[in-house]
Amino acid sequence: MGEIKMGFMYEVPDYKKLRVIVDTDAACEADDPFAIAHALISPKLMVKGIIAEHFKEAGSMERSYKEIETILEAMDIDVPIFKGQDGPLSEDKSVSDAVRFIVDEALKEDDHKLFILCQGAITNVAKAITVEPRIKDKITVIWIGTHGEAPCKAPFTEFNSVNDIPAANLVLSSGIDLWLVPSHVYITVNIGLAEIQRRIRPCGKIGEHLFKNMADYNISPYAGWTQGESWSLGDSPAIAIAINQGCGHYHYARAPYVADNTSSVIKEDNPQIRIYTDIDSRYVLEDFISKLELTYGAN
């Protein structure tokens, strides 16, 4: 594998580029791989590493790690991959390679700001904060998770927060620079399987993988909650917001406390965080598909 040559006829000024770490439960369901690919082909984002996140099943972090390997092979790209915590904070007391990597990257002297783009449980970031509290002032975290500003009764169990509620509450209360993309926002990034077949599948090995992975998951017993021939690419806003923080509206409000049923509860001493209230799904999807076509070529 090597560095791909992207067919972009524009450049991003160096001072506008960001260092990013992608934290992903890549094998959980079918949307993470789209977000990972989007990050890797975006000139503004200098992807320093990709971290495998668990999704509260035995072996899930290892499965995510293997899916990241598959994506990188399909894209013919070399990026460091790190294994994260094996499970929630309460179950895994070790310090993973991913956590050490977060700490080391955060403490580097670098003019490019470091963003961690979290697309699942937020265990790895929570662990990193406990290992080295100094990193709280050195990173920005964009997290796809929770039901957003409190009070909000859970309309359904929010997957990313429920996979490690103590980790969620640790990060929400930490004072870190946190940009939150809650459930009512991330579910709006909708795409049809027909569009994926027509526009994404022709784009090389990665296009074929993204389509097949999605089509296979769509008919699996795990996809009973979906509509049948469409999908919400709910992890992609983490990437799009890093590229263009204005691709949605946001305001600042007190961070919620996540209850056991994932409802957002008021906690008066929680800090103010950025909470997105909507996202421009046209921008998110077209930016990704256009970059995929320019990089891998639609045949």
Side-chain angles (χ1 to χ4, degrees):
M1 293 192 293
E3 265 192 35
I4 55 173
K5 294 183 178 179
M6 302 177 187
F8 305 140
M9 299 176 67
Y10 65 89
E11 295 182 3
V12 177
D14 184 70
Y15 74 94
K16 293 184 178 181
K17 292 182 179 181
L18 306 176
R19 289 182 295 150
V20 301
I21 298 170
V22 179
D23 185 304
T24 170
D25 55 354
C28 180
E29 52 116 328
D31 59 335
D32 287 80
F34 289 79
I36 295 168
H38 195 176
L40 289 168
I41 55 176
S42 292
K44 181 175 177 176
L45 305 183
M46 300 181 292
V47 181
K48 296 299 182 178
I50 305 176
I51 293 173
E53 184 68 71
H54 74 91
F55 44 95
K56 210 176 180 182
E57 291 180 10
S60 59
M61 183 279 293
E62 292 283 354
R63 287 161 56 194
S64 292
Y65 185 90
K66 289 177 182 177
E67 173 60 19
I68 297 165
E69 287 184 316
T70 297
I71 293 164
L72 292 177
E73 190 279 330
M75 298 182 75
D76 194 27
I77 294 178
D78 281 315
V79 170
I81 316 171
F82 299 90
K83 293 183 178 181
Q85 302 300 120
D86 279 326
L89 292 178
S90 61
E91 297 177 12
D92 184 3
K93 304 298 183 182
S94 67
V95 178
S96 65
D97 290 342
V99 167
R100 293 189 180 95
F101 171 66
I102 289 173
V103 171
D104 290 346
E105 192 65 35
L107 295 179
K108 280 182 180 178
E109 291 295 328
D110 196 308
D111 291 335
H112 298 97
K113 195 168 184 179
L114 178 62
F115 279 67
I116 305 182
L117 314 181
C118 297
Q119 305 169 188
I122 202 159
T123 306
N124 293 324
V125 170
K127 188 72 173 185
I129 292 171
T130 63
V131 168
E132 179 49 86
R134 287 184 298 162
I135 71 170
K136 290 191 296 182
D137 299 325
K138 298 179 179 293
I139 61 177
T140 296
V141 174
I142 304 178
W143 184 30
I144 307 293
T146 84
H147 288 303
E149 187 175 352
C152 179
K153 184 177 179 181
F156 53 85
T157 300
E158 202 284 310
F159 188 78
N160 290 347
S161 57
V162 81
N163 281 332
D164 195 346
I165 290 176
N169 285 323
L170 189 157
V171 174
L172 288 163
S173 65
S174 68
I176 203 166
D177 185 17
L178 177 62
W179 300 2
L180 192 65
V181 184
S183 62
H184 69 276
V185 176
Y186 68 67
I187 64 172
T188 64
V189 185
N190 292 306
I191 189 169
L193 270 67
E195 183 174 7
I196 297 173
Q197 178 181 331
R198 183 175 68 86
R199 301 186 64 195
I200 292 176
R201 182 174 177 265
C203 295
K205 288 177 66 177
I206 185 59
E208 179 67 30
H209 175 69
L210 292 173
F211 171 71
K212 187 175 188 306
N213 193 48
M214 177 71 76
D216 288 349
Y217 194 90
N218 187 59
I219 59 172
S220 76
Y222 305 105
W225 51 273
T226 67
Q227 298 300 313
E229 60 170 303
S230 62
W231 211 270
S232 173
L233 298 184
D235 290 321
S236 293
I239 312 304
I241 288 169
I243 300 167
N244 174 14
Q245 63 178 279
C247 70
H249 295 94
Y250 60 84
H251 65 279
Y252 285 85
R254 198 170 301 283
Y257 177 86
V258 180
D260 288 344
N261 67 351
T262 70
S263 292
S264 290
V265 178
I266 293 172
K267 191 169 186 291
E268 295 293 350
D269 59 347
N270 265 3
Q272 298 277 312
I273 62 170
R274 179 184 293 196
I275 302 178
Y276 275 80
T277 56
D278 60 50
I279 196 79
D280 183 349
S281 60
R282 188 219 65 84
Y283 167 77
V284 175
L285 295 173
E286 288 293 340
D287 188 67
F288 170 57
I289 295 172
S290 295
K291 287 173 177 172
L292 199 66
E293 290 173 336
L294 288 169
T295 304
Y296 294 97
N299 297 320

